[in-house]
Amino acid sequence: MIRVLLADDEGMIRSALGALLRLEADIEVVAECADGNEAVAEAMRLQPDVCLLDLEMPGLDGVEVAERLHRAIPTRCVVVTRHARPGVLRRALSSGVSGFLPKSRGADEVAAVIRAVAAGGRYVDPEIAADALSDERSPLTDRELDVLRAGRRGETTGQIARALSLAPGTVRNHVSAILGKLSVGTRQQAVLLAEERGWI
């Protein structure tokens, strides 16, 4: 049996997918979680074979959950998303995700991906993969990306500076460079754009 943990903040989708997967003779759904923090805690406790994670969840998103689990336990992670932004694929794969597919796929396809990943394979939706190949690279430096990551939840300049061991003025200079390169007016707009393109 393939032991599967499901994590999705939308209760109807989570319970419907859980019910459909339970119809598969070789899949056992061992947990259904409503957010990323619960998914990490339950996965650490249960150590499922595969975690099926929604990308957009409160607290930790699906990729952040996969990244934490990848370092801690021998589980394989599949990320599903309603908005399959190609830039997110690079972020997912670099975090140890084994599968990536849109929520528009049927339960039978999801089950097939779970089997492939549980057997040690990888699966990336072909359309997302094709889009990712043509997606543009980030114009930001590694340090500028660090600044965006450190401030992605609305942290102040001072908090970002402390987190990165930088002077507040240096953080302000990086933010100014970021806004210029991305042609946006605020740091939050820059964060949203960088997340959408999978740069952070």
Side-chain angles (χ1 to χ4, degrees):
M1 291 289 280
I2 303 170
R3 300 171 67 252
V4 175
L5 176 146
L6 290 179
D8 194 309
D9 61 317
E10 295 181 68
M12 186 182 295
I13 290 175
R14 186 176 66 248
S15 56
L17 184 55
L20 290 169
L21 289 176
R22 285 184 177 95
L23 298 175
E24 302 288 333
D26 59 340
I27 292 176
E28 178 190 4
V29 178
V30 296
E32 294 183 18
C33 305
D35 61 51
N37 291 313
E38 184 187 358
V40 169
E42 284 296 278
M44 298 292 269
R45 185 174 72 84
L46 297 167
Q47 304 217 355
D49 301 305
V50 176
C51 293
L52 190 65
L53 309 166
D54 183 26
L55 176 64
E56 297 93 2
M57 288 190 290
L60 301 172
D61 71 22
V63 173
E64 290 168 325
V65 172
E67 193 168 27
R68 294 197 182 189
L69 296 179
H70 181 65
R71 294 193 300 254
I73 59 173
T75 191
R76 314 266 293 165
C77 294
V78 176
V79 170
V80 296
T81 178
R82 176 171 284 117
H83 308 291
R85 302 183 302 267
V88 178
L89 176 60
R90 282 195 300 274
R91 185 175 146 236
L93 294 178
S94 67
S95 300
V97 168
S98 300
F100 195 90
L101 69 160
K103 280 189 173 180
S104 57
R105 298 295 177 253
D108 55 337
E109 290 178 80
V110 175
V113 170
I114 287 170
R115 290 186 190 101
V117 164
R122 274 187 149 187
Y123 177 85
V124 175
D125 180 76
E127 289 176 28
I128 297 173
D131 287 345
L133 289 172
S134 61
D135 200 34
E136 64 185 293
R137 296 281 174 207
S138 170
L140 305 179
T141 66
D142 288 344
R143 183 49 96 183
E144 288 165 353
L145 292 171
D146 287 342
V147 167
L148 282 186
R149 275 188 209 96
R152 74 195 304 174
R153 306 211 193 281
E155 289 83 351
T156 65
T157 299
Q159 289 170 320
I160 295 169
R162 283 191 294 280
L164 299 176
S165 300
L166 295 173
T170 303
V171 171
R172 281 191 288 274
N173 289 341
H174 283 309
V175 170
S176 178
I178 290 165
L179 300 183
K181 287 180 181 179
L182 299 185
S183 300
V184 294
T186 68
R187 184 160 49 88
Q188 278 314 106
Q189 289 173 324
V191 167
L192 289 172
L193 180 61
E195 286 179 336
E196 183 176 299
R197 297 192 179 171
W199 298 337
I200 60 172

